[in-house]
Amino acid sequence: MKASRVEIQTLRLLKDINANHYEAAREAARQGRPVGYVSVFAPAELLLAMDIVSVYPENHAVFVQARKMTTEVVSPLERLGYQPGLCSYARCDMGSTFTGKSPVGGLPKPDFFLTTNAQCSTLTKWFERMSEHFGVPLFLIDVPFTGGKPDDQHCKVFVRSQIAELIGFLEEITGKSLDPENLSRVVEISNQTTRLWKEIIESAMHVPSPISVFDQFISMAPIVAQRGTMVALEFYQTLKAEIDDRVTRGIGVVDNEKYRLYWDSLPLWHELKWLSDLLVSFKACLVSTIYTLPWADFWLDPKDPVSSWVEQYVHYFDWHLDRRVELVVQLKEKYRLNGFIFHNDRSCKMFSTAIPEIRRIVQEKTGVAAYILEGDHGDPRFYSREQIEKGLTYYFEILRARG
Amino acid sequence: MDFQQILAELVATQTDPHTRARQWKSANQGTVIAHLLPDVPEEIIHASGALPLAVTGVDRGTSLAESHIPSFICSLLRNPLEMALRRELDFIDGMVIPYVCDSTRAFSQVWEANFPDLFNHTLWLPKKVSGDSAKQFLFSEFMRLKKRLEVFLGREITDQSLRHAIGVYNQNRRLLRRLFALRKKGRIPLPYADYLSVVKASMTMPREDHNTLLARLLEGLKEECRPCEKEESVRVFLLGSLGEPHSVLTLFDELGMDVVDDHFYDGTRCFLQDVDEAVDPMEGLVSRQLSKAPLSGFHYQDDRWRQYLLDRVRDGQIEGVVYFPLMYCDPMEFDYPLIKGLLGEMGIPVLFLETDFHSGSLGQVRTRLEAFAEMLREKKDESLPC
């Protein structure tokens, strides 16, 4: 029987949700609310509680890539001296901003930038150039990468004092003091949303899996860009209800699901459909990934969110080699995985540098073959579909032979 | 030994960087703590009684390393890993890796996974270089290195030994600045490639030895002092992380470009500032780190790049800049448009020349440098009064 894919209907709501998000940002800016361009691990609840409009350049870059505008916007950027080897999120977002070619109908002008290098250092450099372009300040939450070492008390002190500085910085921009009640209200909604996201992700433990990693990639935009709002909460409530129904009725994403795989690192945003179809043809479903996990663990202590942020920055984002190996080994049991794909993303040195080593250790620990897929999360000039298809065909032959 | 012999010995460390450290270790039954570049406070290692050794690499392929890290990770990391996998670093007792970018951040764990028996330490350098919180954090971070070395070596690092180390290093910086100044004025016949080897040698041998050799070298070179006769050449500044491959550096002299200054991790950037000997030694080290010449791996909230470039251009009467990143260096690639713009405002042309430790064929590099030199000469001629 030929394998096929059974779509999740709730995902259709995303088109309007995402479009409305950018329209609302433009409208809020027109009404004089301050606008911040922020990275995805910025403390979203704090910004929302201070009535700041948050625009996420990473999310924006995904839209540039998903609308296949990469080449159109990065070529002019490269003429300014930016090299093609740089992160394609950065290049797509900067290219779109500098050329004015927008996939979302344009962005409001920023009043400030905010990032943390807990995610990666690229964001700092990307936001430096952008903040210079707009002539507005950039606040960096500088997070030491401790690699799981215990002697890190001074790192927590450093991050805590920066969050205090950040609150002062935002109060100056908004001209208002942070209202703790506002923050509590937003944190409450955010925590509910985070919990739902966790349940949605974990529903992939069911066999067959009612949701794939591709579905997670597509549906993560609201929890990234609108966490703490009712829009995001209601979307995930609807999504969760549909997933629960699929579980009850035994509906899987992939008919006759045979391979349950882990995906490491960023998506190939240009190839979601193509790669998903390709995997379906092998009766393979991506059921688990490190990439969408953080938003399942963003729970904040309503009484003391600052301490939660400090803990997240110093420990949660500290995805060092041992921890990544440990995670994959745990996920194998939890999700009944029988294969691993590591995306060696040319555009993301933060994720990719340790991939050959992680793959080696994971194979040793689990006895399951793992595949390294050479790709790029947003620039199709740096990989070939042919090569990916050939590599995966070979990989599934190995998995089949090993039974 | 006359100064020519000293020069030859120092220059030889370019192709044979570790012999001196090996000899020191066996003669002293000592501990060698290797480190990657940039910005590891060598004085703390020196004060512990161990020998700090900067590991960069030599000009060759990195096939062994590439089964552990992707080929698109820069050779600043690929090279030391290659050397270690080839057992060429089997004499080191430890490795300190500074966290300056995404690659170094992940690399330190790849290193630890492969060499778990060494004293491994990642230096969590703050990316912010101003503000009290960054200053306090860096102080604690330098203290963490100090404490870990004390535990590893089983001995205390006293203020007295720190002050002594700082004195030795400041002496070295003073001597290097003298060498730099003489070359800049065109007073000594020392090709840039050899000059940089002399500077780099300081990081691969006991600093006291380098001080002795350098003082004698300066004496000898002073006797060779002559008036400047380089009217034909154009004065350039090399802005990059490492001056590699070394074979590229000889091209500058050949093509009539006088490299009067650089910004390399193991070049001018190492000796511009001293550590203040009048304050607490750890505070002195922290202040020096935070006031160093800017680096793409760090985040500046002030106009330090502009000020730095203005100073270097004026100070060296620079006519052109070669922007010299190692291939796959994201921070330097992100900074290029900024720096090109700043230099543009000063009327200084820039050539972007990405290199890798492994030189391969230099034909294309030569052609590009030739064209750049020609352009700088034409510009110079146009600006001369008739």
Side-chain angles (χ1 to χ4, degrees), chain A residues 83 117-118 121 125 128-129 140 142 144-146 149 151 154 162 165 320-321 349 352-353 357, chain B residues 68 70 72-73 102 105 109 112 114 124 127-128 133 137 141 144 296 299 328 330 333-336:
Chain A
Q83 301 301 305
N117 51 18
S121 316
K125 306 309 290 183
E128 278 177 5
R129 296 298 83 81
L140 167 69
D142 188 5
F145 188 73
T146 62
K149 300 291 186 289
D151 43 355
H154 60 309
Q162 292 179 80
E165 288 162 22
H320 54 88
L321 185 146
K349 296 187 174 67
S352 302
T353 303
E357 207 68 44
Chain B
H68 294 267
F72 53 76
I73 301 304
D102 293 335
R105 156 177 174 166
Q109 298 127 49
E112 284 180 29
N114 281 280
W124 307 326
K127 302 299 165 296
K128 283 180 173 172
S133 55
F137 172 72
E141 183 53 15
R144 190 176 69 93
S296 294
H299 170 59
Y328 314 120
D330 286 357
E333 288 184 3
F334 266 113
D335 272 356
Y336 176 60

Side-chain angles (χ1 to χ4, degrees), chain B residues 24-48:
Chain B
W24 178 88
K25 184 183 170 85
S26 63
N28 297 282
Q29 301 299 307
T31 304
V32 176
I33 301 291
H35 63 92
L36 301 189
L37 298 175
D39 290 1
V40 171
E42 296 155 282
E43 291 91 333
I44 299 177
I45 300 171
H46 184 285
S48 77

Side-chain angles (χ1 to χ4, degrees), chain A residues 79-87 90 94 117-122 124-126 128-129 132 138-147 149 151-152 154-155 157-158 161-162 165 317-322 344-350 352-357 360-361 374, chain B residues 66-74 77 99-110 112-114 120-122 124-128 132-137 140-141 144 148 295-301 305 328-338 340 352 354:
Chain A
R79 284 196 289 276
L80 297 176
Y82 291 93
Q83 301 301 305
L86 291 171
C87 168
M94 292 166 88
N117 51 18
Q119 277 168 264
C120 70
S121 316
T122 290
T124 311
K125 306 309 290 183
W126 163 9
E128 278 177 5
R129 296 298 83 81
E132 286 152 13
L138 160 62
F139 192 99
L140 167 69
I141 305 173
D142 188 5
V143 181
F145 188 73
T146 62
K149 300 291 186 289
D151 43 355
D152 62 357
H154 60 309
C155 302
V157 172
F158 184 33
S161 57
Q162 292 179 80
E165 288 162 22
F317 295 127
D318 189 18
W319 281 107
H320 54 88
L321 185 146
D322 290 345
N344 195 25
D345 182 352
R346 198 181 174 283
S347 257
C348 183
K349 296 187 174 67
M350 197 281 290
S352 302
T353 303
I355 275 186
E357 207 68 44
R360 177 180 68 77
I361 304 171
E374 305 289 344
Chain B
E66 281 165 39
S67 60
H68 294 267
I69 52 174
S71 55
F72 53 76
I73 301 304
C74 79
L77 303 177
Y99 160 39
V100 279
C101 63
D102 293 335
S103 300
T104 49
R105 156 177 174 166
F107 178 79
S108 59
Q109 298 127 49
V110 175
E112 284 180 29
N114 281 280
N120 288 312
H121 186 91
T122 305
W124 307 326
L125 291 169
K127 302 299 165 296
K128 283 180 173 172
D132 285 345
S133 55
K135 196 171 180 178
Q136 277 165 21
F137 172 72
S140 306
E141 183 53 15
R144 190 176 69 93
R148 285 206 63 219
L295 212 67
S296 294
F298 298 110
H299 170 59
Y300 301 95
Q301 288 154 302
W305 268 115
Y328 314 120
C329 176
D330 286 357
M332 279 203 68
E333 288 184 3
F334 266 113
D335 272 356
Y336 176 60
L338 166 79
K340 192 173 120 186
F352 184 89
E354 202 175 36

Side-chain angles (χ1 to χ4, degrees), chain A residues 276-398:
Chain A
S276 168
D277 288 347
L278 179 65
L279 289 170
V280 168
S281 75
F282 292 108
K283 296 181 181 167
C285 185
L286 296 186
V287 295
S288 180
T289 179
I290 187 173
Y291 193 65
T292 57
L293 268 188
W295 291 274
D297 289 315
F298 272 180
W299 185 86
L300 300 171
D301 181 348
K303 292 196 184 71
D304 185 11
V306 171
S307 292
S308 300
W309 283 317
V310 171
E311 191 59 29
Q312 284 172 7
Y313 283 128
V314 178
H315 290 150
Y316 186 79
F317 295 127
D318 189 18
W319 281 107
H320 54 88
L321 185 146
D322 290 345
R323 189 165 160 230
R324 280 172 70 183
V325 168
E326 197 184 314
L327 172 79
V328 178
V329 172
Q330 277 173 7
L331 291 176
K332 177 183 178 287
E333 295 308 313
K334 189 170 170 182
Y335 288 87
R336 292 183 245 186
L337 304 173
N338 48 13
F340 310 102
I341 298 176
F342 287 91
H343 174 201
N344 195 25
D345 182 352
R346 198 181 174 283
S347 257
C348 183
K349 296 187 174 67
M350 197 281 290
F351 253 120
S352 302
T353 303
I355 275 186
E357 207 68 44
I358 292 173
R359 179 238 211 167
R360 177 180 68 77
I361 304 171
V362 164
Q363 289 192 145
E364 276 170 19
K365 287 194 180 236
T366 62
V368 177
Y371 177 64
I372 292 189
L373 183 149
E374 305 289 344
D376 188 286
H377 63 256
D379 196 331
R381 294 175 298 177
F382 294 122
Y383 58 83
S384 91
R385 280 186 174 186
E386 214 174 41
Q387 210 175 4
I388 291 174
E389 190 166 350
K390 222 190 264 176
L392 283 174
T393 306
Y394 178 62
Y395 179 56
F396 284 109
E397 273 169 24
I398 291 173

Side-chain angles (χ1 to χ4, degrees), chain A residues 49 178-186:
Chain A
L178 169 64
D179 177 352
E181 271 179 38
N182 248 357
L183 182 58
S184 294
R185 192 176 44 78
V186 176

Side-chain angles (χ1 to χ4, degrees), chain B residues 78-336:
Chain B
R78 257 188 294 128
N79 256 288
L81 183 59
E82 181 75 15
M83 290 186 127
L85 292 168
R86 289 183 189 221
R87 300 184 185 285
E88 289 166 16
L89 297 177
D90 54 3
F91 63 101
I92 66 171
D93 300 284
M95 174 60 91
V96 181
I97 298 175
Y99 160 39
V100 279
C101 63
D102 293 335
S103 300
T104 49
R105 156 177 174 166
F107 178 79
S108 59
Q109 298 127 49
V110 175
W111 176 273
E112 284 180 29
N114 281 280
F115 309 104
D117 298 331
L118 294 175
F119 167 83
N120 288 312
H121 186 91
T122 305
L123 188 71
W124 307 326
L125 291 169
K127 302 299 165 296
K128 283 180 173 172
V129 293
S130 45
D132 285 345
S133 55
K135 196 171 180 178
Q136 277 165 21
F137 172 72
L138 184 60
F139 183 87
S140 306
E141 183 53 15
F142 279 0
M143 287 301 278
R144 190 176 69 93
L145 172 63
K146 177 173 171 278
K147 279 181 207 146
R148 285 206 63 219
L149 279 169
E150 285 174 335
V151 171
F152 176 64
L153 293 165
R155 56 179 174 256
E156 194 193 345
I157 299 174
T158 61
D159 269 11
Q160 197 188 356
S161 61
L162 273 170
R163 284 185 196 284
H164 174 72
I166 287 168
V168 170
Y169 277 75
N170 276 350
Q171 165 73 0
N172 192 247
R173 293 178 192 119
R174 277 193 293 276
L175 290 167
L176 287 171
R177 284 199 297 270
R178 267 178 63 199
L179 182 72
F180 170 73
L182 285 172
R183 257 204 93 250
K184 191 170 58 180
K185 288 177 193 149
R187 303 284 298 277
I188 48 172
L190 184 60
Y192 176 72
D194 290 349
Y195 156 79
L196 188 64
S197 297
V198 170
V199 180
K200 286 166 66 173
S202 69
M203 303 180 110
T204 57
M205 64 173 66
R207 205 55 72 123
E208 293 86 345
D209 293 0
H210 195 258
N211 281 346
T212 308
L213 293 171
L214 193 53
R216 288 170 59 193
L217 179 68
L218 278 163
E219 282 303 307
L221 282 169
K222 253 180 17 198
E223 287 169 21
E224 301 280 306
C225 269
R226 54 176 170 66
C228 175
E229 287 170 9
K230 288 186 176 175
E231 282 155 19
E232 284 304 301
S233 64
V234 282
R235 298 170 70 83
V236 297
F237 175 71
L238 306 187
L239 209 171
S241 45
L242 294 180
E244 299 290 348
H246 197 70
S247 47
V248 170
L249 303 181
T250 55
L251 288 177
F252 288 94
D253 277 331
E254 274 178 45
L255 298 172
M257 282 189 274
D258 188 12
V259 181
V260 290
D261 198 356
D262 67 59
H263 173 267
F264 295 134
Y265 293 173
D266 49 5
T268 309
R269 191 167 178 280
C270 297
F271 57 75
L272 280 180
Q273 292 104 331
D274 284 343
V275 179
D276 184 352
E277 295 184 41
V279 300
D280 168 81
M282 290 300 260
E283 277 180 18
L285 289 168
V286 166
S287 297
R288 175 173 188 267
Q289 172 62 26
L290 297 178
S291 62
K292 268 181 158 178
L295 212 67
S296 294
F298 298 110
H299 170 59
Y300 301 95
Q301 288 154 302
D302 48 24
D303 65 345
R304 200 178 302 193
W305 268 115
R306 180 190 301 274
Q307 204 49 53
Y308 169 74
L309 292 171
L310 263 176
D311 286 349
R312 300 324 290 163
V313 164
R314 274 188 202 142
D315 189 60
Q317 294 162 290
I318 299 301
E319 293 162 286
V321 170
V322 179
Y323 198 76
F324 216 87
L326 283 177
M327 211 172 274
Y328 314 120
C329 176
D330 286 357
M332 279 203 68
E333 288 184 3
F334 266 113
D335 272 356
Y336 176 60

